Amino acid sequence: MQTDRLTIAIVDDHPIVIEGLKMLLQNEENLEVVAGFSDGEGILAYTRLNKVDLILLDITLPDINGMDLCRMIKKESTATMILILSNHTERSIIMQTIQNGASGYLLKNSSIDELRNCITEAVKGNICFSKEVTDIISRPTKNQLQGRPQLTRREKQILSLIAEGKTSQSIATELFLSPLTIDTHRKNLIQKFEVKNVAELIRVAHQQHML
């Protein structure tokens, strides 16, 4: 690792969280918080003009889903490391962010030591989780034990339309949503059913009498 200080940007929809993290990290000799943003567009615009070593990213943002934003940032700047700092404890969301290029996932109740450790591991090229997140992804969920994923009303609706062979565009038009939102639901369904593609998703959903 370079002797330079690691530049960090914080993205969270609550300004108080950004300020709190800045205060927590200001005494770290090897870290420097250079920017804070409360939406996805802000950090995307910033990273196009400035080099950022590490981004602390929330999942819930007003304009872009944090999982999608993670993928977008990594596509434009592969060298930028991303650690998710969120209140979301769903196993599917945690795994999706890692698939989208995040270097780790921490809950917002994590200690400064856990955050410090995850930053160190990310710099080494490793993937790191806070202890609570490690527990979440290592234990089988109630739904996994039952063998059937728990779906929201919207997910059931979209699963049914996918099974009819409809495209994301046509589903989006029918439900008055954006195609990006439908794609996110489609990815979440694939993740929840632990399958590789839509054909497998439909087959397994039929097997589990969810269609």
Side-chain angles (χ1 to χ4, degrees), residues 187-204:
K187 283 174 202 151
N188 285 346
L189 283 165
I190 286 172
Q191 187 77 40
K192 281 188 175 185
F193 279 89
E194 297 182 352
V195 293
K196 295 184 179 66
N197 52 47
V198 168
E200 225 178 299
L201 169 67
I202 294 167
R203 180 176 59 78
V204 173

Side-chain angles (χ1 to χ4, degrees), residues 89-108:
T89 57
E90 294 90 335
R91 189 177 190 273
S92 58
I93 289 177
I94 296 166
M95 301 316 288
Q96 186 65 57
T97 56
I98 300 303
Q99 282 187 6
N100 287 1
S103 295
Y105 196 109
L106 302 97
L107 297 185
K108 285 187 177 176

Side-chain angles (χ1 to χ4, degrees), residues 161-207:
L161 293 168
I162 289 170
E164 289 173 21
K166 295 188 175 177
T167 63
S168 291
Q169 184 66 59
S170 63
I171 295 171
T173 304
E174 190 171 326
L175 301 181
F176 303 102
L177 297 168
S178 74
L180 182 69
T181 300
I182 303 301
D183 280 336
T184 300
H185 280 300
R186 191 186 286 258
K187 283 174 202 151
N188 285 346
L189 283 165
I190 286 172
Q191 187 77 40
K192 281 188 175 185
F193 279 89
E194 297 182 352
V195 293
K196 295 184 179 66
N197 52 47
V198 168
E200 225 178 299
L201 169 67
I202 294 167
R203 180 176 59 78
V204 173
H206 272 297
Q207 284 173 352

Side-chain angles (χ1 to χ4, degrees), residues 153-168:
R153 187 181 59 80
R154 179 68 85 191
E155 283 171 339
K156 287 175 187 170
Q157 192 178 24
I158 289 168
L159 176 62
S160 175
L161 293 168
I162 289 170
E164 289 173 21
K166 295 188 175 177
T167 63
S168 291

